[in-house]
């Protein structure tokens, strides 16, 4: 039987043949399933109408639920477009008659289906078809059908209609805008206790989806009176036989808390109280309690969208912290390393404590945790000691400021736990001291090195517990990273000797920990490590040379890290004799075949970078080895998969290298491991260019077209950062190569060509950059590139730069004013003020970098007051003289750098980077003007067409730009005797 005959036979009048094909598609026999897939795909391609109708008729048959579920899944895929939604793919291939039949048959199937899981899948199919057809008015009867079903006396039909509406509200909510009043009444009624839990939860989901879609705050607020009914639906669903209904409700509320927390503000006490009761209930399933905790944590971290939420009230945060601390007790006396993985209570507790500490800050979280610590440490149960230590480690990142002030309270609790008899407590104490070393350093190192390092050295000797040894070595790494050489000197003999013992006698995981610790010790002690070089290097080379089998790949990778760190610490002269052998091993490994997940690859990139820093120009012969794979990594494409939100065709959800986000009913999976590799490669290229200077010249033509487009690589922030940092290094390398005659006959025109490519791209990227910190880096980079380019800048580039600076000024000012407005709100508190002050400090940094941009190429680089240059006030005064014609001119009748205006002392230390005092009438003359003022010298001698500046002369154009960009007074400034002074306390006035 040929293919055509097979298709005709499958799609013939005997329905059992097609049903058998569907059954074979679920077969565990690979050959049978593959053959069935081949036939089914042929039928789809050649007879889409027949396949759609055959699948739909199965839904109406008395066949087993499993077979009908498979038919539903296949029908949805058959109608799906390439991006996972229903639309221009399969659905558009169907005839009008088939579409009409499908619409009728599917609605009938929805009404008749009694299997709950299958009914939901049918509703999904109906919803996606409606999303494709309703905007084109190709299913006008659907809305009347839904509104009629909302009032149906059959709970199953009412529930299905609400489920369909919920999906439609996500994607085409504007279809329902004329019916908001009716929908409000329907949803409020459907949430009432007179309906079944299933109907009420469906109404809850429909309400949330509609609220999330509504674009207008007034329209959203009109649905806030549904919240009490939504809370009742949740709490009363807990009394139902099936607790999964309650879990569905909490999952929906988590979604709402994440996307629109402000909507919950009016009913927040009741909402938080209800969810806390769920989290505290021992009678509920662990998964239900975890969801309740997730809701509360999600609400807490939504400060950027709904600041000042009532969750910060002590009575709530104390109860939540108690719940989380008790979750940390969910731990067994088994293997140390793997016991906390997965969605256990311990894992959820750790994750949420960390999130809360970062979101709410130390003034809120640290007191709540501290209140529980004495009882936990006094308990005879080792689990409570373990929980207390892990809690301290988890909150340190968000509570660092207040914990640094209370080191005398925190550190002894941790160090005393090193004497606990249970190895898991000792292990947790090492975890805690390692994390505190990172988050509370260098204060912890300076004040407690004499107590911490001896106990870590003692833990290294615990050969009865290799996990403790390995963790102790890791903690040495964390502690020494924030240590100065002066602190480490008296401990080096003991530390190095103990770590060498671990290299010789420890298990592999212990050896790996010892290698990373040695690398950090060498890096922190620098030249003082020369005394230990001869003792250490033989062991490192032995591991590097001998750990060749697959089971030792990570060990060999760690040895690369260690030997390159040691070489960089002791310097080229000491390392020279061993460097060649080390480089040959790395070169050999570089040329070998490696798996994509081989840890050697990433470690090797960093090892080459350290060796380059150590050897300098002597590294150049190895560039032909290191650069090709580095460029290949920098050119990696983002691995992104986009499907519909509930599509099953998506990455493995357990894959930690995948980040999944849902936007506009689309599920986006991004493989972050690929992006991290790309970012690392870009960063190392930047390091090579910086270190080798003109020696990097042969690679510029390949690197520049690779990195410049990455200035707008929005999939990964670190990729953009590395690309930004590389721009001035590449320009400098080219410029030095031309100046020193090593550019293979090229002259200054080559530097101009690079400048003309890099600076406009950087300016364009700056204009659209969403991250403030990267904006600051871009401004600094732009300044460096301009100084390197000098007279190569032309009028168009200068104008573009100034317009971009004006845009940056405007955006920064707007953000600061929004924060100042927030500070005047009634529910504003000091903790939130700390976050906003940090944000404003970033804006100050942007201002600092903005002032530093110098298109003239340099002599007049502007430094803020207190940083070695002229003050902001004095500079602006000078500029006003030149721009306003009061005695200053291009001929130099007034020396722009000689005039000084008397300075007044800074009023606030926090404003030292961007504060200062300046006259009110000079306020509009911003540093953006200065940029262009100095830039004018870059185009001196060129004919500047005033028409290109909107018909204004150049100076007027710049002044207009500045006046628009910056207000006369910022919210945190006050006037004193005709002078504006920075007073951040004004921000807290209500």
């Amino acid at each position: 039987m040929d293919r055509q005959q097979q298709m005709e036979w499958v799609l013939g009048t005997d329905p059992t043949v097609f049903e058998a094909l569907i059954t074979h598609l679920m077969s565990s026999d690979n050959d049978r399933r593959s053959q069935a897939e081949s036939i089914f795909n042929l039928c789809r391609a050649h007879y889409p109408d027949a396949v759609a109708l055959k699948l739909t008729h199965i839904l109406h048959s008395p066949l087993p639920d499993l077979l009908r579920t498979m038919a539903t899944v296949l029908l949805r895929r058959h109608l799906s477009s390439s991006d996972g939604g229903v639309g221009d793919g399969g659905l558009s291939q169907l005839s009008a008659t088939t579409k009409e039949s499908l619409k009728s048959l599917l609605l009938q199937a929805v009404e008749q289906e009694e299997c709950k899981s299958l009914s939901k899948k049918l509703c999904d199919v109906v919803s996606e078809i409606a999303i494709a057809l309703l905007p084109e008015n190709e299913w006008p009867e659907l809305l009347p059908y839904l509104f009629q079903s909302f009032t149906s006396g059959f709970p199953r039909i009412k529930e299905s209609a609400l489920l369909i509406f919920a999906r439609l509200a996500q994607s085409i909510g504007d279809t329902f805008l004329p019916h908001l009043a009716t929908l409000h009444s329907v949803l409020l009624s459907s949430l009432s206790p007179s309906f079944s839990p299933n109907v009420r939860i469906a109404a809850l989901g429909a309400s949330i989806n509609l609220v999330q879609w509504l674009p207008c705050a007034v329209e959203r607020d009109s649905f806030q009176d549904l919240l009490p009914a939504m809370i009742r639906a949740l709490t009363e669903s807990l009394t139902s036989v099936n607790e999964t209904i309650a879990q569905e409700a909490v999952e929906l509320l988590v979604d709402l808390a994440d996307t629109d927390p402000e909507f919950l503000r009016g009913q927040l006490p009741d909402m938080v109280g209800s969810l806390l009761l769920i989290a505290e209930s021992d009678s509920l399933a662990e998964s239900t309690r975890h969801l309740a905790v997730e809701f509360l944590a999600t609400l807490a971290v939504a400060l950027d969208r709904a600041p000042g939420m009532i969750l910060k009230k002590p009575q709530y945060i104390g109860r939540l912290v108690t719940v989380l601390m008790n979750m940390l007790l969910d731990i067994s006396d088994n293997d140390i390393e793997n016991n906390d993985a997965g969605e256990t209570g311990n894992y959820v507790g750790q994750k949420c404590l960390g999130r809360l500490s970062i979101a709410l800050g130390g003034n809120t979280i640290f007191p709540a945790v501290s209140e529980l610590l004495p009882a936990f440490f006094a308990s005879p149960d080792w689990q409570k000691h373990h929980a207390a230590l892990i809690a301290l480690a988890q909150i340190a990142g968000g509570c660092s400021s207040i914990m640094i002030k209370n080191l005398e309270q925190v550190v002894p609790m941790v160090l005393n736990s090193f004497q606990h008899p249970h190895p898991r407590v000792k292990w947790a104490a090492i975890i805690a001291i390692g994390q505190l070393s990172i988050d509370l350093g260098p204060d912890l190192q300076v004040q407690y090195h004499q107590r911490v390092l001896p106990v870590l050295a003692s833990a290294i000797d615990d050969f009865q517990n290799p996990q403790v040894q390995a963790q102790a070595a890791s903690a040495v790494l964390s502690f020494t990273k924030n240590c100065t050489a002066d602190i480490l000197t008296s401990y080096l003999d003991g530390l190095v000797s103990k770590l060498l013992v671990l290299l010789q006698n420890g298990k592999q995981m212990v050896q790996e920990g010892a290698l990373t610790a040695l690398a950090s010790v060498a890096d922190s002690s620098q030249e003082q490590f020369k005394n230990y070089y001869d003792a250490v290097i033989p062991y490192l080379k032995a591991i590097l040379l001998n750990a060749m089998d697959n089971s030792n790949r990570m060990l060999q990778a760690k040895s690369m890290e260690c030997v390159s760190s040691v070489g960089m610490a002791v310097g080229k002269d000491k390392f020279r004799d061993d460097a060649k052998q080390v480089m040959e091993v790395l070169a050999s490994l570089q040329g070998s075949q490696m798996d994509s997940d081989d840890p050697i690859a990433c470690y090797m990139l960093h090892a080459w970078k350290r060796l380059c820093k150590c050897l300098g120009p002597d590294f150049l012969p190895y560039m032909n080895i290191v650069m090709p794979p580095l460029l290949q990594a920098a050119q990696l494409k983002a691995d992104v998969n986009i499907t519909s939100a509930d599509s099953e065709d998506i990455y493995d959800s357990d894959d930690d290298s995948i980040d999944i986000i849902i936007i506009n009913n689309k599920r986006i999976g991004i493989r972050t491991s690929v992006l991290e590799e790309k970012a690392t490669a870009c960063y190392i290229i930047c390091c090579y260019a910086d270190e080798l200077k003109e020696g990097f010249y042969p690679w510029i033509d390949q690197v520049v077209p690779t990195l410049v487009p990455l200035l707008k690589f929005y999939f990964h922030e670190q990729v953009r950062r590395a690309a930004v940092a590389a721009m001035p290094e590449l320009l400098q390398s080219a410029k030095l190569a031309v100046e020193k005659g090593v550019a293979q006959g090229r002259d200054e025109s080559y530097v101009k060509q690079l400048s003309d490519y890099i600076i406009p791209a950087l300016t364009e990227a700056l204009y659209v950059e969403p991250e403030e910190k990267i904006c600051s880096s871009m401004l600094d980079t732009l300044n460096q590139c301009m100084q390197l380019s000098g007279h190569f800048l032309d009028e168009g580039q200068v104008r573009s730069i100034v317009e971009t600076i004006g845009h940056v000024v405007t955006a920064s000012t707007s953000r600061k004013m929004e924060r100042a407005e927030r500070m005047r709100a009634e529910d504003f508190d000091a903790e939130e003020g700390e976050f906003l002050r940090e944000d404003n400090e970033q804006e100050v940094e942007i201002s600092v970098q903005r002032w530093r941009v110098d298109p003239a190429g340099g002599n007049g680089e502007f430094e803020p007051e207190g940083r070695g240059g002229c003050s902001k006030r004095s500079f602006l005064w000078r500029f006003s003289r030149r721009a306003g014609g009061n005695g200053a001119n291009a001929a130099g009748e007034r020396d722009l750098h000689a005039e000084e205006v008397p300075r007044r002392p800074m009023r606030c230390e926090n404003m030292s980077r961007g504060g200062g005092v300046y006259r009110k009438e000079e306020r509009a003359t911003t540093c953006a003007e200065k940029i262009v003022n100095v830039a004018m010298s870059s185009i001196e001698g060129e004919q500047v067409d005033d028409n290109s500046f909107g018909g204004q002369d150049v100076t007027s154009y710049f002044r207009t730009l500045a006046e628009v960009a910056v207000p006369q007074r910022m919210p945190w400034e006050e006037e004193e005797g005709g002078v504006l002074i920075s007073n951040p306390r004004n921000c807290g006035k209500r």
Side-chain angles (χ1 to χ4, degrees):
M1 184 182 298
D2 61 20
R3 292 292 191 182
Q4 181 63 36
Q5 291 174 326
Q6 283 182 317
M7 289 189 289
E8 292 175 356
W9 178 57
V10 166
L11 299 174
T13 57
D14 184 358
T16 60
V17 179
F18 189 80
E19 293 163 7
L21 178 67
I22 304 304
T23 302
H24 291 164
L25 288 171
M26 298 184 290
S27 173
S28 58
D29 186 313
N30 290 335
D31 292 337
R32 176 177 292 182
R33 188 176 63 255
S34 297
Q35 186 178 5
E37 288 173 353
S38 176
I39 297 173
F40 181 75
N41 288 332
L42 281 172
C43 292
R44 286 184 61 191
H46 292 88
Y47 300 99
D49 292 88
V51 170
L53 292 173
K54 284 280 187 182
L55 290 171
T56 307
H57 284 301
I58 289 179
L59 304 179
H60 290 267
S61 67
L63 294 169
D65 290 347
L66 183 61
L67 185 62
R68 293 188 300 118
T69 299
M70 184 64 175
T72 306
V73 172
L74 292 171
L75 177 61
R76 182 174 177 180
R77 291 179 181 174
H78 180 53
L79 302 178
S80 294
S81 57
S82 57
D83 65 356
V86 173
D88 292 338
L91 187 62
S92 62
Q93 299 176 17
L94 303 184
S95 67
T97 303
T98 300
K99 288 180 184 178
E100 291 300 320
S101 298
L102 274 181
K103 292 187 289 187
S104 175
L105 290 169
L106 283 173
L107 290 180
Q108 292 176 27
V110 166
E111 290 183 352
Q112 297 168 6
E113 186 54 58
E114 296 182 357
C115 173
K116 183 172 177 60
S117 62
L118 181 51
S119 177
K120 285 190 172 183
K121 284 184 167 56
L122 283 170
C123 291
D124 288 339
V125 176
V126 170
S127 301
E128 294 214 20
I129 294 176
I131 290 169
L133 298 182
L134 279 177
E136 306 300 326
N137 198 30
E138 294 183 21
W139 202 350
E141 62 271 23
L142 179 62
L143 291 188
Y145 170 83
L146 288 179
F147 282 105
Q148 182 180 354
S149 299
F150 288 152
T151 59
S152 171
F154 297 96
R156 187 178 68 250
I157 295 177
K158 186 179 182 71
E159 179 189 1
S160 296
L162 288 166
L163 290 173
I164 294 170
F165 167 73
R167 287 292 310 278
L168 297 182
Q170 281 182 310
S171 301
I172 52 171
D174 52 342
T175 304
F176 298 97
L177 281 177
H179 311 287
L180 289 183
T182 303
L183 287 170
H184 179 280
S185 176
V186 166
L187 294 172
L188 185 60
S189 170
S190 301
L191 287 165
S192 68
S194 59
F195 291 101
S196 69
N198 287 334
V199 170
R200 298 175 74 187
I201 297 306
L204 177 63
S207 303
I208 289 173
N209 285 356
L210 180 61
V211 166
Q212 289 174 321
W213 180 86
L214 288 172
C216 175
V218 174
E219 293 168 343
R220 290 195 299 273
D221 291 345
S222 67
F223 283 82
Q224 279 202 340
D225 59 347
L226 299 183
L227 281 171
M230 293 164 67
I231 297 172
R232 284 197 304 272
L234 167 63
T235 55
E236 291 173 10
S237 66
L238 292 170
T239 62
S240 64
V241 177
N242 189 355
E243 195 174 311
T244 56
I245 296 175
Q247 293 180 5
E248 291 179 21
V250 180
E251 286 177 339
L252 292 167
L253 289 172
V254 169
D255 193 28
L256 181 60
D258 184 42
T259 57
D260 192 9
E262 187 65 42
F263 181 76
L264 301 172
R265 189 183 291 273
Q267 295 293 323
L268 204 57
D270 291 342
M271 185 73 73
V272 172
S274 299
L275 271 296
L276 275 171
L277 288 174
I278 295 174
E280 293 167 338
S281 175
D282 293 331
S283 61
L284 295 174
E286 190 178 59
S287 55
T288 304
R289 299 174 61 203
H290 291 177
L291 282 169
V293 167
E294 176 65 21
F295 169 84
L296 296 167
T298 300
L299 203 58
V301 302
L303 291 173
D304 57 335
R305 281 157 292 161
M309 296 295 271
I310 202 168
L311 185 61
K312 298 175 74 172
K313 299 295 183 182
Q315 67 269 28
Y316 293 117
I317 203 63
R319 288 172 64 187
L320 178 56
V321 167
T322 300
V323 169
L324 297 177
M325 290 284 286
N326 287 329
M327 281 185 166
L328 297 183
L329 302 177
D330 181 13
I331 188 171
S332 65
D333 197 5
N334 296 324
D335 181 68
I336 288 179
E337 292 191 318
N338 299 320
N339 195 259
D340 304 332
E343 293 297 323
T344 63
N346 188 288
Y347 175 82
V348 174
Q350 288 190 46
K351 184 175 68 173
C352 289
L353 271 174
R355 291 170 65 193
L356 285 176
S357 70
I358 293 171
L360 302 182
N363 291 333
T364 300
I365 293 297
F366 184 69
V369 172
S370 297
E371 188 175 343
L372 301 174
L373 290 178
F376 272 63
F377 278 117
S379 172
D381 297 331
W382 70 265
Q383 289 91 342
K384 289 199 171 183
H385 285 256
H386 185 279
L389 292 165
I390 295 299
L392 284 171
Q394 288 296 324
I395 69 171
C399 303
S400 57
S401 297
I402 192 169
M403 290 178 74
I404 287 173
K405 297 175 184 176
N406 291 274
L407 285 176
E408 73 284 353
Q409 173 190 349
V410 174
V411 177
M413 288 189 292
V414 178
L415 296 181
N416 291 340
S417 299
F418 276 75
Q419 308 304 318
H420 197 282
H422 200 288
R424 292 222 60 171
V425 174
K426 192 172 184 179
W427 179 83
I430 298 170
I431 287 282
I433 205 66
Q435 192 61 48
L436 296 181
S437 299
I438 296 170
D439 294 324
L440 310 186
D443 300 76
L444 175 66
Q445 283 81 346
V446 171
Q447 298 179 40
Y448 284 92
H449 60 87
Q450 72 278 10
R451 295 188 61 184
V452 173
L453 284 173
V455 298
L456 288 178
S458 175
I460 289 174
D461 292 333
D462 190 356
F463 284 91
Q464 299 300 314
N465 295 289
Q467 294 98 332
V468 169
Q469 285 183 300
Q471 197 59 53
S474 178
V476 169
L477 161 68
S478 301
F479 190 88
T480 54
K481 272 191 173 181
N482 272 324
C483 267
T484 62
D486 292 340
I487 290 177
L488 276 181
T489 299
S490 59
Y491 303 100
L492 286 177
D493 286 348
L495 281 176
V496 173
S497 62
K498 287 178 182 292
L499 292 172
L500 287 179
V501 170
L502 295 188
L503 284 184
Q504 300 171 69
N505 303 321
K507 292 186 175 182
Q508 181 172 328
M509 67 174 177
V510 178
Q511 291 177 314
E512 291 172 5
L515 286 169
T516 56
L518 267 176
S520 179
V521 170
D523 185 55
S524 296
S525 56
Q526 289 296 304
E527 286 195 359
Q528 296 187 36
F529 201 80
K530 288 181 179 179
N531 299 328
Y532 308 93
Y533 179 83
D534 294 333
V536 169
I537 199 67
Y539 294 105
L540 302 184
K541 290 199 301 182
I543 296 174
L544 182 64
L545 292 168
N546 299 321
M548 292 292 186
D549 56 274
N550 288 336
S551 62
N552 288 324
R553 297 297 276 181
M554 181 56 77
L555 183 64
Q556 189 178 40
K558 298 283 189 181
S559 70
M560 288 180 191
E561 176 186 38
C562 190
V563 74
S564 57
S565 296
V566 168
M568 192 167 65
V570 301
K572 178 168 61 174
D573 294 339
K574 185 73 174 177
F575 186 54
R576 190 189 308 274
D577 293 340
D578 298 297
K580 183 176 180 181
Q581 187 179 8
V582 170
M583 304 273 273
E584 287 174 352
V585 174
L586 265 61
S588 174
L589 288 168
Q590 184 86 63
S592 63
Q593 200 70 22
M594 286 186 286
D595 296 334
S596 59
D597 59 347
D598 194 327
I600 290 285
C602 181
Y603 278 86
M604 189 181 300
L605 290 178
H606 287 284
W608 283 122
K609 178 202 70 178
R610 296 187 197 97
L611 292 170
C612 177
K613 284 184 174 291
C614 174
L615 300 175
D618 293 347
F619 186 78
L620 285 173
Y622 296 92
M623 286 293 286
N624 287 327
I625 298 173
V626 303
M627 280 302 294
L630 202 58
L631 281 168
Q632 186 178 6
Q635 292 165 358
L636 287 171
K637 303 297 183 184
D639 186 355
V640 181
N641 191 342
I642 303 176
T643 65
S644 60
D646 54 354
S647 173
E648 298 174 4
D649 299 329
I650 191 62
Y651 296 115
D652 179 5
S653 59
D654 295 328
D655 189 343
D656 292 336
S657 69
I658 302 296
D659 275 356
I660 295 177
I661 57 175
I662 296 178
I663 301 176
N664 294 332
N665 202 32
K666 297 296 181 186
R667 186 187 299 264
I668 304 173
I670 304 175
R671 189 174 295 278
T672 54
S673 58
V674 173
L675 301 182
E676 288 160 6
E677 182 181 355
K678 185 182 182 79
T680 298
C682 295
Y683 162 70
I684 293 175
I685 288 173
C686 177
C687 291
Y688 285 158
D690 177 45
E691 188 65 36
L692 299 175
K693 301 295 189 287
E694 67 274 10
F696 191 77
Y697 165 78
W699 302 97
I700 290 178
D701 288 348
Q702 295 181 59
V703 168
V704 168
T706 297
L707 294 192
V708 168
L710 300 182
L711 295 171
K712 295 197 288 187
F713 187 82
Y714 299 113
F715 288 111
H716 200 272
E717 179 179 310
Q718 296 305 321
V719 171
R720 298 203 306 284
R721 284 181 180 274
V724 169
M727 294 301 108
E729 309 302 339
L730 295 172
L731 266 178
Q732 183 186 44
S733 176
K735 187 174 183 180
L736 289 175
V738 169
E739 291 172 352
K740 296 184 178 183
V742 295
Q744 301 171 359
R746 284 173 161 169
D747 55 19
E748 283 191 341
S749 63
Y750 175 64
V751 181
K752 175 170 173 51
Q753 181 184 358
L754 285 179
S755 173
D756 289 347
Y757 181 44
I758 289 174
I759 289 181
L762 186 59
T763 305
E764 182 180 335
L766 172 61
Y767 194 93
V768 295
E769 174 54 49
E771 297 293 333
E772 295 166 25
K773 290 183 179 179
I774 299 182
C775 246
S776 176
S777 299
M778 283 182 166
L779 285 162
D780 182 46
T781 291
L782 188 58
N783 172 47
Q784 295 178 56
C785 289
M786 288 175 175
Q787 293 188 49
L788 289 165
S789 299
H791 62 278
F792 294 138
L793 291 174
D794 60 32
E795 172 196 339
Q797 290 170 349
V798 169
R799 183 170 61 252
S800 176
I801 290 167
V802 175
E803 290 173 349
T804 298
I805 295 293
H807 172 75
V808 171
V809 171
T810 302
S812 178
T813 300
S814 176
R815 290 190 296 266
K816 287 186 284 190
M817 294 184 71
E818 287 175 4
R819 294 182 191 119
E821 183 65 27
R822 173 62 205 152
M823 287 178 173
R824 289 190 283 268
E826 292 184 3
D827 56 1
F828 177 79
D829 59 27
E831 191 76 61
E832 188 184 344
E834 183 65 27
F835 291 128
L836 294 188
R837 276 190 291 274
E838 290 175 3
D839 289 340
N840 277 333
E841 285 179 7
Q842 184 59 48
E843 301 292 356
V844 170
E845 183 64 23
I846 290 177
S847 298
V848 170
Q849 300 299 349
R850 182 181 73 230
W851 301 339
R852 290 175 61 90
V853 176
D854 184 359
N859 291 333
E861 178 176 353
F862 173 66
E863 293 274 7
E865 184 170 6
R867 290 205 171 188
C870 63
S871 70
K872 179 179 180 183
R873 178 189 177 191
S874 62
F875 177 86
L876 293 177
W877 187 87
R878 298 169 195 158
F879 180 87
S880 67
R881 303 279 81 76
R882 175 172 177 176
N886 294 328
N889 55 40
E893 294 176 9
R894 183 184 298 274
D895 183 355
L896 294 182
H897 298 280
E899 190 75 30
E900 285 294 341
V901 177
R903 303 175 182 173
R904 293 178 57 176
M906 296 295 299
R907 294 297 184 91
C908 176
E909 182 180 352
N910 290 336
M911 300 297 290
S912 61
R913 287 187 295 167
V917 187
Y918 40 95
R919 297 190 182 282
K920 180 178 180 181
E921 61 268 22
E922 296 173 350
R923 186 64 176 89
T925 310
T926 69
C927 289
E929 287 181 301
K930 178 264 174 182
I931 294 165
V932 190
N933 178 36
V934 182
M936 288 169 64
S937 64
S938 298
I939 54 175
E940 278 187 13
E942 297 182 19
Q943 185 65 34
V944 180
D945 182 6
D946 284 344
N947 289 331
S948 62
F949 293 95
Q952 304 179 65
D953 65 84
V954 178
T955 301
S956 298
Y957 172 82
F958 297 149
R959 182 173 295 282
T960 301
L961 170 66
E963 289 172 349
V964 171
V966 182
Q968 292 293 311
R969 178 187 298 180
M970 297 305 297
W972 51 84
E973 294 171 341
E974 60 187 24
E975 185 173 349
E976 184 178 299
V979 174
L980 291 180
I981 62 171
S982 297
N983 185 1
R985 289 173 296 181
N986 287 347
C987 294
K989 291 181 179 179
R990 300 179 176 175

